[in-house]
Amino acid sequence: MGDALNVGIIGAGKISAAYATTLARLPGVTMTRVADLDAGRAAALAADFPGVRAGAPDELLAADDVDVVLNLTVPQAHAAVALAAIASGKHVYGEKPLAADTTEARSVLDAAARAGLAVGCAPDTVLGTGLQTARSSLAAGDIGTPVAATAFMVTPGHERWHPSPEFYYQPGGGPLFDMGPYYLSALVTLLGPVRRVTGMTAAPRATREIGAGPRAGTVFPVNVATHVTGVLEHAGGALSTLMMSFDVWAGQLPRIEVYGSAGSLSVPDPNHFAGPVRLFTATAQEWVDVPERAGYRDAARGYGVADLARSLRDGTPPRASGDLAYHVLDVMERLLEAAGSGTSAEVTSTCTVPPPVPFGAVPGDA
Ligand SMILES: NC(=O)c1ccc[n+]([C@@H]2O[C@H](COP(=O)([O-])OP(=O)(O)OC[C@H]3O[C@@H](n4cnc5c(N)ncnc54)[C@H](O)[C@@H]3O)[C@@H](O)[C@H]2O)c1
């Protein structure tokens, strides 16, 4: 494709192969380079993708064949890498959260705006058929007026499987900042921006132990809340109840449900692109499957980057946008603030909910 956006990946860790694999099959984007502080990791990733060059981050930032930096570093480095990319005249698309805090995140958005560059951010799972079909059902009025929602994510912790899990337990990590972006991006897409939030948190264990990989058995400190509960008041009035935990061995909880004046909607796992959407209506009095009818089919991590490429060609904002990611980060930060102060916190940021994704379209084709 002649006008394909050239993508350079910075951060060749655990998630990078998933992105590289998707980018290799998507139109509108071409992966040209990969870089990491650990040169061996960059070389290992590039080796699987012919034509992709491995090198140091500075080299990638200076390269003419990179239009957008795909920032797959750890959350604590997201802002610094994004700012360096913007200073080098590159668009940026980053893994979640947008930054470790809203001050850093604002500096990224402001720098990009000044430079006339775009900022996109994960999660792009909300662009898949699962969430988009649920959104379409809500928009069709299947459950009447939304009143409330629940969002539950419980796990014993990522240190069981991740070879370098320390970042999950530092500020910018924890169950809320790590998994919250999937759930909150979904809730904001379904129910609109959030205006007020309250919460409570716990951190029952001071240390964790790596359970897999070459460093298994290593004990490291926990510096974040690992069990987070909260209530979000959306600007439209609906209330979402949230529980995000790294302290639960097992639970038989729904992922996301939305409750309306005329029924209920069961929304699939927002960490995945597809999944069953189920509807209960007051008239039918039973749960039925809602057939897939919206969203990018067969999507995977990287569709948000292709959607950013599409938006640059169209001159429209990206769907997995920096503004949405900033609002989500603000909601999470305010929730922790409210938990700390024992009050509720106002969320002063807002965002435009991105336009629905047409069924089956590949970004760049639509
Ligand atoms: N692992 C997953 O399953 C998963 C899934 C979805 C999203 N994510 C997100 O993806 C991001 C990366 O996660 P991961 O699991 O791949 O982490 P990881 O620790 O496996 O990899 C991160 C890589 O970034 C590199 N890095 C760190 N700072 C850097 C810098 N300043 N410049 C260049 N390289 C730098 C590290 O050397 C490392 O190779 C995180 O934001 C995480 O939340 C991870």
Side-chain angles (χ1 to χ4, degrees):
M1 195 165 196
D3 57 354
L5 198 72
N6 288 328
V7 181
I9 294 180
I10 299 188
K14 188 93 178 156
I15 199 62
S16 60
Y19 273 92
T21 304
T22 313
L23 293 178
R25 71 172 166 88
L26 275 174
V29 286
T30 304
M31 184 171 59
T32 53
R33 288 177 183 261
V34 55
D36 197 293
L37 292 178
D38 179 333
R41 285 189 188 174
L45 181 66
D48 288 335
F49 297 90
V52 174
R53 294 173 65 174
D58 283 350
E59 210 180 318
L60 186 153
L61 291 173
D64 289 337
D65 60 357
V66 173
D67 303 316
V68 57
V69 168
L70 175 52
N71 181 3
L72 305 181
T73 61
V74 294
Q76 295 74 16
H78 283 177
V81 170
L83 286 168
I86 291 162
S88 305
K90 319 288 190 200
H91 304 292
V92 63
Y93 182 99
E95 250 304 339
K96 46 75 192 169
L98 180 56
D101 61 46
T102 51
T103 306
E104 283 188 350
R106 176 50 58 200
S107 70
V108 170
L109 295 185
D110 287 351
R114 280 195 301 273
L117 295 164
V119 178
C121 188
D124 49 7
T125 45
V126 290
L127 308 181
T129 51
L131 198 281
Q132 292 291 325
T133 295
R135 179 181 182 176
S136 159
S137 174
L138 272 187
D142 289 348
I143 64 163
T145 305
V147 176
T150 50
F152 299 123
M153 190 295 302
V154 296
T155 159
H158 297 332
E159 70 277 15
R160 286 169 312 139
W161 58 271
H162 198 290
S164 323
E166 286 92 336
F167 74 85
Y168 288 117
Y169 294 90
Q170 297 306 315
L176 183 63
F177 275 50
D178 175 46
M179 298 301 285
Y182 297 108
Y183 288 78
L184 293 176
S185 300
L187 289 171
V188 169
T189 299
L190 295 172
L191 299 172
V194 174
R195 68 181 171 207
R196 199 157 59 105
V197 63
T198 187
M200 288 197 188
T201 66
R205 282 187 274 160
T207 60
R208 298 263 172 159
E209 184 177 322
I210 299 179
R215 296 168 58 235
T218 305
V219 173
F220 61 92
V222 171
N223 291 318
V224 288
T226 50
H227 184 88
V228 178
T229 59
V231 179
L232 321 176
E233 182 185 54
H234 295 265
L239 301 179
S240 291
T241 300
L242 198 72
M243 179 166 79
M244 307 275 118
S245 185
F246 285 170
D247 286 302
V248 177
W249 281 104
Q252 297 183 330
L253 297 161
R255 299 301 179 137
I256 295 182
E257 288 183 347
V258 184
Y259 312 109
S261 57
S264 298
L265 193 67
S266 171
V267 180
D269 186 341
N271 189 15
H272 298 156
F273 290 80
V277 177
R278 308 205 76 219
L279 173 67
F280 180 102
T281 57
T283 43
Q285 287 288 319
E286 62 174 346
W287 287 97
V288 295
D289 288 328
V290 180
E292 282 189 343
R293 64 189 196 211
Y296 295 133
R297 206 186 283 139
D298 299 325
R301 285 189 167 83
Y303 270 59
V305 185
D307 190 79
L308 176 80
R310 172 207 58 76
S311 82
L312 290 167
R313 284 195 294 277
D314 293 357
T316 56
R319 285 194 175 87
S321 71
D323 286 345
L324 171 60
Y326 181 89
H327 181 59
V328 163
L329 181 62
D330 194 16
V331 172
M332 298 191 300
E333 202 173 80
R334 299 287 75 73
L335 194 160
L336 294 184
E337 176 188 293
S341 65
T343 59
S344 67
E346 199 184 329
V347 180
T348 52
S349 68
T350 186
C351 67
T352 304
V353 176
V357 179
F359 189 35
V362 172
D365 266 4

